Amino acid sequence: MTRYLVTGGCGFIGKRLIANLIARPDTAFVRVVDDLSFGSREALAAIAPFEESTGQVPGLPQARLQLVIGAICDAELALAACRDIDIVVHLAANTGVGPSIADPRYDCSTNVIGTFNYLEAARLAGVARFVFASSGAVTGEVEPPIHERVPTRPLSPYGASKLAGEAYCCAYANSFGLQTVALRFSNVYGQGSGHKQSVVAKFIRQALDGEPLVIYGDGGQTRDLIYIDDLVEAVALSALTEGLSGEVFQVATSRETTVQELVTALKHALAAEGAGFPDVVYEPSRPGDMRRNYADTAKAKAMLGWEAKIALPEGLRRTVRWALSQRAGA
Ligand SMILES: NC(=O)c1ccc[n+]([C@@H]2O[C@H](COP(=O)([O-])OP(=O)(O)OC[C@H]3O[C@@H](n4cnc5c(N)ncnc54)[C@H](O)[C@@H]3O)[C@@H](O)[C@H]2O)c1
């Protein structure tokens, strides 16, 4: 029976991952550490009933889901939270390029020191596997398809802090035998993303609010858009596949979608779910925006037996349906 710790478990990816892990009969429990800066108790409760640990040292949970409220920069809490854990999935972070440019010091302390805290705590607690949420942002502007061996030259503090996390994962695998797996997520969309600033989440919010969709530049820039359930499956396989250590994987669809194509696909998805489509306006491209971005996922296919299955039209329909149901329930 496997005992998991998921940092950032109340967030977009964390909630869906927890639903996946809790559904597995060989899961003993999932402990979550989250400071609730974006996530919430209500969001977690919608996944499964949970017990909230009070005090600095979480005890062994009675329920299959336990919430510990705290920040990942708290090294003492990290030590306590990693006790009795087999697998750590480290998701909590200062997410996104914009916030890292607005406050690079906070980004560094959260993403570099926070990740270090959980690697060190995992080592001291005898955790077997550490799965780290990295990002496509570590590579910077390179000729796609992006793969695990391209040079890493981040454009943003966020990319740099994720790259530092990958470097520490590699070092902990080599120096201490901790089985680490760093996953470079591409652009994730899907249910539970209502608070996100990524392109799909923003377009759906704008469309349902009847506001114009804003395209920066000519709309020819490309992204690799992965549906949340595909991504979560890759995370679960990275946690459970035997014999992985010190690995890095691109987790993406291997498909290149222009923003213009996304807008067209979203128009169809909105129409199929009975929702209207707003105007589209064009604004100058933003500095630092990558022109082309998609990843080669052959390594994940070979070593994890994983590839993304959900095509964009289906993923968008599911996401629009979820967003409409949220509004109907509000
Ligand atoms: N969503 C994407 O498209 C995407 C792409 C690439 C990488 N990632 C990475 O995946 C991970 C999860 O992303 P997400 O989209 O679920 O983000 P999210 O913002 O929805 O969730 C992050 C969770 O972490 C918590 N958190 C934030 N700072 C914390 C701190 N200092 N201490 C404890 N908890 C904290 C938040 O309350 C939230 O519940 C992040 O590491 C992110 O960088 C996400």
Side-chain angles (χ1 to χ4, degrees):
M1 295 294 278
T2 310
R3 302 163 298 178
Y4 294 90
L5 168 65
V6 179
T7 69
C10 298
F12 166 42
I13 295 170
K15 287 177 294 183
R16 204 70 180 151
L17 174 66
I18 289 166
N20 178 302
L21 297 178
I22 290 279
R24 294 172 185 263
D26 55 354
T27 294
F29 65 81
V30 181
R31 174 179 289 153
V32 171
V33 171
D34 199 301
D35 68 357
L36 302 185
S37 51
F38 281 100
S40 67
R41 289 183 178 86
E42 295 69 30
L44 192 64
I47 307 300
F50 67 87
E51 68 177 41
E52 188 169 324
S53 163
T54 49
Q56 184 68 356
V57 181
L60 265 181
Q62 305 300 308
R64 291 185 77 224
L65 183 57
Q66 181 184 47
L67 173 63
V68 182
I69 296 173
I72 53 171
C73 286
D74 181 342
E76 291 299 315
L77 176 63
L79 288 171
C82 284
R83 218 171 282 153
D84 308 312
I85 294 296
D86 303 303
I87 297 174
V88 172
V89 182
H90 180 50
L91 300 175
N94 186 48
T95 65
V97 168
S100 79
I101 287 172
D103 191 347
R105 183 175 294 280
Y106 179 74
D107 182 79
C108 177
S109 64
T110 304
N111 292 2
V112 182
I113 303 300
T115 300
F116 172 79
N117 283 343
Y118 276 82
L119 278 165
E120 178 64 351
R123 170 178 86 89
L124 293 172
V127 166
R129 176 74 52 97
F130 188 96
V131 180
F132 171 57
S134 185
S135 161
V138 298
T139 48
E141 192 84 62
V142 287
E143 188 60 28
I146 297 166
H147 55 76
E148 293 82 359
R149 296 170 314 287
V150 301
T152 43
R153 286 200 297 260
L155 298 178
S156 62
Y158 173 66
S161 65
K162 288 292 184 183
L163 186 56
E166 285 191 10
Y168 270 107
C169 284
C170 182
Y172 267 65
N174 289 322
S175 299
F176 306 117
L178 177 63
Q179 296 174 10
T180 63
V181 184
L183 301 176
R184 291 180 183 166
F185 299 161
S186 68
N187 206 311
V188 194
Y189 71 99
Q191 68 173 89
S193 59
H195 62 293
K196 302 298 294 185
Q197 291 307 315
S198 51
V199 62
V200 176
K202 216 155 59 178
F203 278 177
I204 291 179
R205 240 184 350 255
Q206 287 169 334
L208 296 185
D209 287 342
E211 290 171 6
L213 306 191
V214 180
I215 295 182
Y216 296 98
D218 62 2
Q221 65 272 42
T222 63
R223 296 293 177 262
D224 190 326
L225 303 167
I226 184 166
Y227 187 67
I228 181 80
D229 289 355
D230 277 333
L231 180 106
V232 157
E233 198 52 40
V235 177
L237 284 166
S238 303
L240 293 166
T241 302
E242 303 263 311
L244 300 177
S245 189
E247 294 295 347
V248 177
F249 293 101
Q250 302 284 161
V251 178
T253 65
S254 297
R255 281 184 205 92
E256 190 175 19
T257 303
T258 67
V259 170
Q260 199 64 63
E261 285 164 348
L262 166 63
V263 166
T264 305
L266 183 58
K267 188 174 184 172
H268 292 308
L270 287 161
E273 298 300 324
F277 187 71
D279 295 335
V280 176
V281 296
Y282 291 84
E283 290 189 5
S285 34
R286 295 173 300 183
D289 255 1
M290 284 163 86
R291 180 70 186 168
R292 288 184 66 204
N293 187 353
Y294 78 102
D296 172 352
T297 55
K299 184 178 173 190
K301 188 171 183 190
M303 292 182 69
L304 301 174
W306 173 88
E307 63 185 329
K309 294 191 183 72
I310 298 162
L312 186 65
E314 173 59 20
L316 287 177
R317 271 198 76 163
R318 291 189 199 181
T319 311
V320 167
R321 206 175 300 147
W322 169 81
L324 287 168
S325 73
Q326 292 298 106
R327 286 171 183 238

